[in-house]
Amino acid sequence: MTILQSRCRAIGLALTLGLGGPALVTAAPTRDAGAALYDFAIPPQPLGDALSLFARQTGLAVLHPPIPPGELSPGVRGRRTAREALDRLLAGTTLEIAATPRQPAGGFALRSVRRASPQGSGR
């Protein structure tokens, strides 16, 4: 598969999932996103950099909305499935996994999470 074909599949995936607006496509080869185990060594770092490294290590697409400035990932180490590793990379951030597509391109779509106010509702 050529790079152009990979990117076209990833763009099609974004459109299928309704991710209009600025979604980032970092990689998109054919692979099952949940079955394989990978050896991860992604240190704590800015979230965008961590997601790019995750995509390079797994070869899976990661589509996401804009990342707030200063958003940090705690990193992930060890042998894990892609989903387990991505869950750890996103821990404590404003993003979560929205979908694991069942398409030949494989990969993940992320969405923003609204965090509850630490002060509560005030009732």
Side-chain angles (χ1 to χ4, degrees), residues 50-88:
L51 292 175
S52 293
L53 189 53
F54 170 87
R56 279 195 304 272
Q57 286 186 8
T58 63
L60 298 169
V62 179
L63 307 171
H64 59 80
I67 298 172
E71 185 90 68
L72 298 175
S73 169
V76 63
R77 290 196 178 280
R79 191 162 180 79
R80 306 178 188 289
T81 65
R83 172 134 193 155
E84 292 168 339
L86 189 54
D87 278 336
R88 289 199 180 222

Side-chain angles (χ1 to χ4, degrees), residues 21 67 110 118 123:
I67 298 172
L110 308 181
R123 290 186 194 186

Side-chain angles (χ1 to χ4, degrees), residues 19-37:
L19 293 174
L24 173 68
V25 179
T26 53
T30 301
R31 209 178 277 193
D32 180 357
L37 289 174

Side-chain angles (χ1 to χ4, degrees), residues 96-117:
E96 69 181 5
I97 298 172
T100 305
R102 301 276 187 234
Q103 295 186 3
F108 297 92
L110 308 181
R111 67 177 168 224
S112 295
V113 178
R114 287 197 180 154
R115 300 277 182 218
S117 170

